Amino acid sequence: MGPMEIFWLAAGIFFLVVEAATPSLVSIWFALGAFGALITALLDAQLWVQIMVFLIITAIALVATRP
């Protein structure tokens, strides 16, 4: 496991912990994006692809859950 895989995994876990510590949705979207980026990192995608996947998944999750 390389440094980017560890970074995305740590970010995802961090966002889940923050989400669990709060009574409302504040970071679940970022956790989903981080785990999506983790998958792309495991597939050896370039860093810009990982960042784009993170941003796109985060945006879709945000739009899907916000009124």
Side-chain angles (χ1 to χ4, degrees):
M1 202 176 239
M4 288 313 298
E5 290 91 348
I6 294 170
F7 171 79
W8 290 120
L9 181 61
I13 291 170
F14 171 77
F15 290 128
L16 285 177
V17 168
V18 170
E19 185 64 40
T22 59
S24 60
L25 291 175
V26 295
S27 66
I28 191 70
W29 317 286
F30 301 114
L32 294 173
F35 289 125
L38 172 62
I39 292 170
T40 60
L42 290 171
L43 296 173
D44 289 329
Q46 295 180 3
L47 179 59
W48 70 269
V49 174
Q50 296 172 33
I51 293 170
M52 290 304 297
V53 166
F54 172 77
L55 293 174
I56 290 168
I57 291 176
T58 299
I60 290 170
L62 182 61
V63 168
T65 59
R66 285 297 209 190

